[in-house]
Amino acid sequence: MIKRLAAFFNDYEQASKLIDEKKYDDAKSRINELENEHTKNTVEIVLLAWLKSQHSYFVQDWKSFDQHINEAFLFRGNLPDQIQKRVIKNALQWFISKQDYVRAYDAIDALGNIESITFTQQNKEQLLAQVNDIYKSSGDIKQQIELLPKQAVLPLLSKSEVALEAQMPLTKVQLRCENKVVNYDTSTIDKIVISQNDVRCGLLIKSAQAQTVTLKQSGDSFL
């Protein structure tokens, strides 16, 4: 067990160093070895997701970066505090760039939940003010969502009106808020409206075939 952990962290440090040295092909090979030979428990899996996110960022593979930074952020509680902080800060910038303001606010809250990290109320208010300014001045939010066959996705919503454009018929469209769930007729759906009373809403979308769906958010800001 001790030898296996030592082997994991040795390869992890080597891959991280190769990324720092901009030897991205060598880092990718080391990451693959790490994944195939050593990654067994949750901590190692999340550390690997963080490492993959760093490699994806520097080679500008944004699809992979999105996948891995979201995984690292979601399971950040398994990481050492200093890496947690880096994950959250990276995720915050990514969420803002994607105009995913719900998760951006989640990331700010998460910074205040790391016991060993000093994150004062003033720090929080400054970050909130920055994100609020960006959010309030944002116009329409347009997202391209890639659906795999029979795969459900649940983008979170930041505006009061949502319109969907799909290349092929969708099999399920469902508004999921903390205070309500609404199913829509996929053959007649036009516009989805969220009220000021709705709390933390996401739109579940599912398709029988692989396709790219365009989701456009407009109207009032309500977060």
Side-chain angles (χ1 to χ4, degrees):
M1 178 68 174
I2 295 174
K3 285 185 178 180
R4 188 185 64 74
L5 286 172
F8 174 88
F9 285 106
N10 180 59
D11 280 358
Y12 176 91
E13 291 296 336
Q14 287 187 35
S16 184
K17 183 179 179 183
L18 288 167
I19 292 172
D20 291 340
E21 293 172 349
K22 300 182 180 180
K23 298 177 180 179
Y24 301 126
D25 289 343
D26 291 341
K28 181 63 175 176
S29 296
R30 184 66 65 177
I31 288 169
N32 289 339
E33 291 175 15
L34 187 63
E35 184 169 26
N36 294 332
E37 296 177 15
H38 303 307
T39 307
K40 304 295 181 184
N41 61 43
T42 304
V43 173
E44 293 169 353
I45 290 169
V46 183
L47 279 169
L48 182 64
W50 164 242
L51 192 62
K52 285 180 176 180
S53 76
Q54 294 305 286
H55 181 269
S56 300
Y57 177 84
F58 286 110
V59 300
Q60 298 186 340
D61 182 351
W62 302 122
K63 184 177 179 180
S64 292
F65 178 77
D66 181 69
Q67 174 188 343
H68 299 311
I69 196 64
N70 272 288
E71 183 179 358
F73 179 74
L74 183 62
F75 299 104
R76 62 189 179 276
N78 296 282
L79 297 170
D81 287 357
Q82 287 297 332
I83 297 181
Q84 266 200 70
K85 182 180 178 181
R86 291 180 64 192
V87 167
I88 294 167
K89 285 192 168 184
N90 276 217
L92 174 59
Q93 294 304 316
W94 182 242
F95 297 150
I96 292 171
S97 73
K98 290 181 64 182
Q99 296 184 292
D100 187 346
Y101 298 107
V102 177
R103 288 192 173 93
Y105 289 122
D106 287 348
I108 293 174
D109 286 339
L111 281 171
N113 294 328
I114 307 175
E115 292 184 4
S116 68
I117 303 298
T118 300
F119 184 65
T120 66
Q121 185 62 30
Q122 184 180 8
N123 295 148
K124 183 174 183 178
E125 288 173 359
Q126 288 173 343
L127 263 182
L128 283 171
Q130 292 172 20
V131 176
N132 284 339
D133 286 344
I134 297 168
Y135 172 51
K136 297 300 182 184
S137 62
S138 66
D140 294 349
I141 299 172
K142 194 172 183 179
Q143 298 165 283
Q144 300 287 327
I145 299 171
E146 295 182 14
L147 295 178
L148 297 176
K150 300 181 180 179
Q151 174 201 30
V153 298
L154 186 69
L156 299 178
L157 305 176
S158 305
K159 299 280 186 174
S160 61
E161 297 180 3
V162 184
L164 282 172
E165 295 177 10
Q167 301 163 327
M168 293 172 279
L170 297 168
T171 56
K172 190 175 186 68
V173 177
Q174 183 184 72
L175 179 67
R176 289 188 175 184
C177 306
E178 288 187 1
N179 59 315
K180 72 179 185 184
V181 175
V182 181
N183 289 299
Y184 291 89
D185 184 338
T186 57
S187 63
T188 61
I189 185 172
D190 179 25
K191 184 169 64 175
I192 297 164
V193 178
I194 301 164
S195 79
Q196 293 285 343
N197 297 322
D198 295 333
V199 180
R200 195 179 177 86
C201 297
L203 192 66
L204 186 142
I205 311 166
K206 193 172 181 180
S207 172
Q209 298 88 24
Q211 63 168 310
T212 300
V213 173
T214 300
L215 188 151
K216 183 178 178 181
Q217 300 181 55
S218 58
D220 298 327
S221 303
F222 59 84
L223 296 178

